[in-house]
Every structure is written in C-alpha cells, then in structure tokens.
Amino acid sequence: MSNSIKFRVFLVFTFAYSFMSCAQNATEKTKPVFKDGEAQVVEGFSDSNNWIRHDLWVETEFDTDGDGQMDRVHVAVTRPEQTETEGLKLPVVYVSSPYFAGVAEDAPGTMWNVKHELGDIGEERFHPQVKRRGERPIISNSHINKWVPRGYIVVHSSSPGTGLSDGAPTIGGPNESLAPKAVIDWLCGRAKGFTERNGDQEIQAYWSTCKIGMTGTSYNGTIPLAAATTGVEGLEAIIPIAPNTSYYHYYRSNGLVRSPGGYLGEDIDVLYDFVHSGDEDKRAYNNQTVRDTEMKNGMDRQTGDLNDFWSSRDYLNQMNNMEAALFMSHGFNDWNVMPEHSYRIYKAAKDKGLPAKIYYHQFGHGGPPPLIMMNRWFTKYLHGVENGVENEKNKAYIVREYDDMQKPTAYKDYPNPDAKDVTLYPIKSGTLGLIKPKSIASDAFTDNVEFSGSDLAKSKVPDHRLLYTTLPLTEDIHISGIAKVSISLSSSKPAANLSVWLVSLPWEEGQDVRITNNIITRGWADPKNYKSLTDEENLTPGQFYTVNFDLQPDDQIIRAGQQIGFMIFSSDKEFTLHPKPGTEITVQLHKTSLTLPIVGGENAFNAAQN
C-alpha cells in the first residue's frame, strides 16, 4: 500500500473516530454526582450564565385580602439549563419569606411603649408603611450558589401579603402554612401556576421530581415547619434554622408580656406592620381585618395570658400531619428566638417517630449546620441516595464553647442522656447547694428596672435582686437540658414581673459569649399565672404563691474555678415591661429550688464542690 493510500485510510479512520466520539459526547447527559453520601458540585450545573430564571404565580386555596379571588403566591425559579435542553428532572430546595420584598424602616414609636404599670397597655404606637423593593424575575439569590451546582433547583416565594404575593400577612395564621403548601402542590403537578399575577396562561413544573426540601433562618425557618405541618405530599425534608415555632413563646413567657431580645416593645402587630410590603390597594382591608381586629382582640397585652389566638399560632399544636424529616439548628445564646423554639419541635418529632436531628451552637441568632451535614440530609431525602444519615446513632451535634462551628461534637441525643436532675436550694447566707433548709427563712428585694440584669449579676446593686451561688467549682460541670425553678414569693403589689438568670461568676467582660459564658440560661414568668397560663388572678399583697417554670434549654460546660449563680429579680430591663420601681418581693427560701440537668448527676456536682 502506497503512503498516499495509507494517509487517506488514516484520515478516514480519524474522521470516523472523531465523529463517533462527538456523537457519544452528544448523548452523554449532565446529571448529579454523589460521593461519600453527598451531592457534589457538577461543572455542567455551575455556570450561572446558563441557569434558567423565571417567575410565576401559584394559585392557593384561600382569599385573605377580600377581593373574592383565590390569593396567588409570587414564585421565582432558578434551574440548570439541562432541565430544559436535556429533559433533566431534579429535586427542589425551596425557601419562602416575608422579608424578600423589603421591610419597614426604623421609625420612632413603631414599638409599644414598655414604660407603664403591669396590666396597662400603654400608648398607641405608630404604624409604618413598607415600600416594596426588588425586580422581577429575581425574588432572592439566597441558597442558589450553594444548591444549583449540586444538582438542585432552587425556588423562592414571597409569603402572603408581601412583595408581589396576594393576601394578607397573618404572622402565623393558616395562610402562612397553606401558601408554601400550594407552591409544593404546584411543584408536584397538583396546583395551578400562572405566568402573570392576574393572567390565565398556565405554567407547569415539568422539571420537578416532586422531591422538595425547605430551609431558611428565623421567619424563613418558621415557614418550612408551617408547610410541614400541613402534611403536604412531596415535602420530604426540612432544615429550619432558629425558627419561631410559637408566637406566644416569642412574645410572652409563662403569662408574662416579654419582648424578644434586642426588640424591646415588639409584639405580633409590630411584626405585621414590619413585613406588610404587599399590594398597597389591599392594605386598608388587611389592616382592618387582621391587625386591627384579629390581632387587637387576640394578642391581649394587658394580661399576657394564653388564649385561642396564641394557641392557633403554635406549630407544636399542628404536628399531627407532619411527615417531613427534620434537621433543627439553633444557638444556645439566641435571646431573640430562644432555644426552646427548636427543642420543643425536635422532641415532638422524635416522639412522633419522624427522622430527626438537632444542631446547637454557642452563638446567638441564626447559624446553619455545616454544609456537609445539610448536604447529606438533602442528598438522602431529596435525591434518594442511601447514605445512612437516618441510621446514625448520634442525633445531636453541639458546638462546644471553644470550637469552630463547623466542628460540632456528636452526642447520642439532646438533652445528653447522661444528664440527671440535681435539685439545689438557696440558703440565707447566699449559697446554693444540695441541702434543703430545715428552718423557715426568707429574703427580700425591691424591684428597680433602672438596673440591667448584668449590673445586678455583677453585685453592683444587691438591694434589687437575690443571688445564690455554689462554691467555686473544682471540676468542670456539664449542664445539658432544661433547668427548672420553683419560687415561693409574695409581692407588695397585685402584679409583679419575675425574672431568673442562671449565671457563671465571676462575671467576665468580653464579646465572645462562648468564652465569657456569663449567662448560662434565663427565664421569665408572671406570678399571677401561678395556677394557669390561661387565667391569671391578682396577687394579694403579703400572701405567698409558688411559681413553677422552665428556663431556656442549654448545653454548656461551666469551667472549674467558676461559680454557678441563681439570680432572682423582678423587671428585666432588656425584656419585660418597665413599671415604676418600688415593688417589694419576698422569697421563702425553704420553699424555693433550682433543678439543674447535670451530666453525671449529684456525683458530678459533689465532685465539683470538694
């Protein structure tokens, strides 16, 4: 064979091979990739220039703005181009919020005035207006860069009465559960989506596998739980981060009117005004029906009692239908949405037999679990990869005081199964120990809200609080769970605030709460509700009442050399109403106790007191 013939054969062979290779490559489709039980970043999904983004409106089953039409929810979708060009179907990470379209600006008088006597409501506050912001088709860019490259579609929606969504914000009302349910129904082909707010051209979610996970922080973390309580099919897993799970627990505490930390004077109607960025033409109707009627009649700032209005906004009461796998996240030093919010739902989910895990850290509000943990959770329940995450023996992951948030310590559960209740008693001398007083003894103090809790704990003003401390610890003590108090008290007036701080002393100044550990946990209660949260009664001056309540959940290691302090006072400058100083509180020590969940029980406590 001549060289020229050989060259032609080579060219033919090379062309054929190249053609076959190109054809083969053309048939290879981009798909999710998994390694070690986690969805991996895929190059074909990662170019944001090729992502498909569009918005639409999903029709709900309610009309809360009174226009006679079913409200529609504004939805935005971000998906890899392969869901269009290659017919690829993918699971969805869904985030919903009342904040996406903007919130009310700070203005004087928007909060309730807290400077008044208990039982009064104070001056009428100012109602701000919210101007919607944002441009279509983007509602939010949150979570997109995290999940789309890993083989997910990301969906956002504005909750009712916010942004371009119809309806009224109800702050925990039924429509805030049914709105995300409608979006999930649309993602599963059971509800109608439209290309315009008032149009009739339908749009289908043909790219969805009907495997949906939800996540978000704070209010955005509340909505996944709200959706899950409907039992909607297709919502497989949720990862709520610092969610508000009960508006009563957010704005009240054991019958007491109490503000969330950092927002003195906020109440549920304040939050309504804060997020109401929806259609300006519907605001007057919404204000009249929701804020000025339902909320005004139900919130009861005069007594702080629990009632049907508040009970209907507690998701613990709505968990019968919940089927989604739950992965909770919260901070033990979150004094805005306090750590009880996550624990109570986590416990109920476990009791119900649902897959459940919890991640706690030592910082404040917010703070998601490490991405690897979230990834494994969604990989299992949305992609269906059997990575064993549901069978892991450890159900709780807690970031220890000096550790990186990405490196939590694994425990069998929370509270620590090795924690045992240890009851401690205050003594007239100011000590706190295991021996219950045998003789009748009492201590007294005078309420004065002018002094902060930290000032009181630092002993600058001992006349305005009671403080009982252990001996300096000779060994570390690990507290894990819920501390409980029982306080026998009398008041010189028919009403009084009651506040309890559990502190670590001496007080250490500093910015890093993990290191200072000054505040172990806290709690507040209304003595007038000593019998019931639903019915209070005025206190008879001089008569003693026993008030029992829980402090906030905690998991903390108190270092050797510190003392555990049990501080009882009345008005808390950062959280409660501010009555005029002067109420005298007397505490019967022989009928008062603090119960601490200590890992190792009494043996551990005794060892640390030797």
Side-chain angles (χ1 to χ4, degrees):
M1 184 182 296
S2 68
N3 288 335
S4 61
I5 295 175
K6 289 181 180 179
F7 182 69
R8 292 190 185 96
V9 172
F10 173 77
L11 285 178
V12 172
F13 177 81
T14 302
F15 176 80
Y17 178 82
S18 299
F19 178 82
M20 288 167 44
S21 297
C22 291
Q24 182 178 9
N25 290 334
T27 61
E28 289 181 358
K29 294 185 177 182
T30 309
K31 60 183 180 181
V33 175
F34 307 98
K35 182 180 178 182
D36 298 328
E38 300 174 54
Q40 303 295 302
V41 172
V42 176
E43 183 178 355
F45 298 149
S46 299
D47 188 350
S48 60
N49 293 320
N50 295 328
W51 293 345
I52 298 171
R53 305 189 71 157
H54 54 96
D55 64 349
L56 62 134
W57 281 259
V58 169
E59 189 171 84
T60 70
E61 55 189 273
F62 53 82
D63 170 22
T64 52
D65 53 21
D67 64 359
Q69 303 293 324
M70 294 297 101
D71 294 342
R72 291 184 179 184
V73 177
H74 187 212
V75 177
V77 176
T78 303
R79 54 192 175 97
E81 65 174 343
Q82 292 82 0
T83 56
E84 194 71 32
T85 60
E86 298 179 7
L88 180 65
K89 291 188 175 184
L90 292 172
V92 173
V93 174
Y94 172 30
V95 186
S96 184
S97 175
Y99 300 141
F100 288 149
V103 294
E105 296 181 0
D106 290 336
T110 57
M111 299 290 190
W112 285 96
N113 184 357
V114 298
K115 294 182 179 180
H116 59 77
E117 296 305 300
L118 306 183
D120 294 341
I121 194 169
E123 304 168 2
E124 181 63 30
R125 61 181 194 82
F126 170 70
H127 300 292
Q129 294 291 314
V130 186
K131 185 176 181 180
R132 186 188 71 82
R133 62 171 173 79
E135 297 293 335
R136 294 173 59 188
I138 299 173
I139 292 179
S140 171
N141 285 314
S142 69
H143 299 272
I144 291 175
N145 291 328
K146 182 185 298 182
W147 298 113
V148 174
R150 289 178 167 84
Y152 295 90
I153 295 162
V154 174
V155 170
H156 293 90
S157 73
S158 292
S159 56
T162 72
L164 296 178
S165 288
D166 296 335
T170 57
I171 317 300
N175 68 335
E176 293 190 358
S177 299
L178 295 174
K181 175 185 179 296
V183 175
I184 294 168
D185 280 335
W186 173 72
L187 289 168
C188 294
R190 299 186 298 265
K192 291 183 178 181
F194 298 91
T195 58
E196 296 296 336
R197 188 173 188 173
N198 298 309
D200 57 7
Q201 181 179 346
E202 293 191 30
I203 183 171
Q204 308 293 329
Y206 51 83
W207 28 258
S208 168
T209 62
C210 191
K211 298 290 184 181
I212 295 98
M214 294 188 71
T215 189
T217 299
S218 196
Y219 208 140
N220 303 6
T222 299
I223 295 175
L225 177 62
T229 60
T230 69
V232 58
E233 184 180 350
L235 181 56
E236 304 296 331
I238 60 175
I239 307 178
I241 302 163
N244 178 348
T245 64
S246 163
Y247 286 92
Y248 185 80
H249 287 76
Y250 190 60
Y251 291 116
R252 307 288 184 265
S253 185
N254 300 298
L256 196 70
V257 175
R258 175 191 52 73
S259 304
Y263 301 93
L264 189 64
E266 183 179 314
D267 212 325
I268 193 167
D269 61 333
V270 177
L271 185 54
Y272 168 92
D273 281 338
F274 186 67
V275 304
H276 195 188
S277 59
D279 191 339
E280 294 185 12
D281 294 337
K282 303 293 178 62
R283 289 187 192 177
Y285 177 88
N286 294 345
N287 292 343
Q288 174 62 34
T289 57
V290 178
R291 185 190 68 197
D292 301 334
T293 302
E294 182 182 8
M295 289 183 174
K296 184 176 181 179
N297 294 334
M299 59 193 285
D300 188 7
R301 267 187 82 81
Q302 288 93 336
T303 73
D305 289 352
L306 179 64
N307 56 29
D308 290 343
F309 171 85
W310 293 112
S311 294
S312 68
R313 286 166 166 80
D314 187 339
Y315 294 107
L316 186 65
N317 299 331
Q318 303 172 29
M319 290 185 64
N320 286 343
N321 295 324
M322 181 170 163
E323 298 293 339
L326 173 71
F327 185 9
M328 276 290 192
S329 178
H330 219 118
F332 282 124
N333 286 289
D334 187 348
W335 303 112
N336 174 8
V337 182
M338 300 189 189
E340 66 177 339
H341 282 270
S342 286
Y343 172 68
R344 58 205 297 274
I345 299 297
Y346 168 68
K347 183 179 183 300
K350 286 193 306 176
D351 292 344
K352 186 176 166 59
L354 297 176
K357 288 183 183 291
I358 197 162
Y359 166 89
Y360 272 123
H361 58 82
Q362 305 295 336
F363 286 100
H365 190 50
L371 177 58
I372 184 175
M373 299 178 74
M374 298 179 69
N375 194 349
R376 285 175 59 81
W377 200 252
F378 280 158
T379 296
K380 158 64 182 177
Y381 293 105
L382 304 189
H383 279 294
V385 174
E386 297 299 330
N387 56 17
V389 68
E390 77 280 14
N391 297 320
E392 294 171 353
K393 63 178 182 179
N394 295 311
K395 305 298 182 186
Y397 296 83
I398 297 172
V399 179
R400 294 268 49 102
E401 288 72 9
Y402 301 96
D403 290 348
D404 188 301
M405 284 185 64
Q406 301 302 309
K407 298 178 180 179
T409 299
Y411 293 92
K412 290 181 180 178
D413 207 350
Y414 178 80
N416 190 310
D418 295 327
K420 301 292 186 294
D421 281 346
V422 177
T423 301
L424 305 177
Y425 302 94
I427 308 297
K428 183 83 173 172
S429 62
T431 59
L432 185 66
L434 290 169
I435 300 176
K436 184 176 183 179
K438 294 183 180 179
S439 59
I440 297 175
S442 63
D443 269 343
F445 65 93
T446 303
D447 180 30
N448 192 337
V449 76
E450 298 301 319
F451 298 97
S452 68
S454 58
D455 285 337
L456 297 174
K458 288 183 283 190
S459 300
K460 291 183 178 180
V461 281
D463 293 340
H464 304 300
R465 55 88 174 125
L466 302 177
L467 178 62
Y468 305 93
T469 63
T470 64
L471 299 174
L473 303 180
T474 57
E475 297 180 6
D476 292 350
I477 279 186
H478 185 178
I479 295 172
S480 179
I482 300 174
K484 302 175 176 63
V485 296
S486 180
I487 300 173
S488 176
L489 61 80
S490 67
S491 168
S492 64
K493 295 182 180 179
N497 291 318
L498 177 59
S499 304
V500 169
W501 283 19
L502 194 64
V503 296
S504 179
L505 301 172
W507 194 272
E508 299 177 348
E509 300 293 348
Q511 299 299 315
D512 192 337
V513 295
R514 299 174 303 166
I515 297 174
T516 56
N517 289 324
N518 293 325
I519 301 170
I520 300 173
T521 184
R522 307 193 251 206
W524 303 264
D526 186 347
K528 294 169 66 174
N529 292 93
Y530 74 99
K531 281 185 180 179
S532 166
L533 291 182
T534 57
D535 294 294
E536 67 175 30
E537 60 181 63
N538 285 337
L539 306 176
T540 300
Q543 181 173 326
F544 284 92
Y545 302 86
T546 298
V547 185
N548 301 297
F549 59 99
D550 293 345
L551 305 184
Q552 288 296 316
D554 192 45
D555 193 294
Q556 188 173 144
I557 296 175
I558 313 301
R559 295 169 294 159
Q562 295 291 101
Q563 294 173 276
I564 297 173
F566 175 29
M567 186 171 74
I568 304 171
F569 62 115
S570 183
S571 299
D572 191 323
K573 190 174 184 178
E574 299 173 272
F575 294 92
T576 69
L577 299 178
H578 291 189
K580 291 180 180 179
T583 302
E584 296 180 1
I585 305 291
T586 302
V587 174
Q588 290 182 316
L589 302 184
H590 60 291
K591 293 184 178 180
T592 295
S593 63
L594 163 70
T595 300
L596 287 181
I598 296 176
V599 175
E602 284 193 14
N603 290 337
F605 181 80
N606 282 326
Q609 291 289 272
N610 291 331

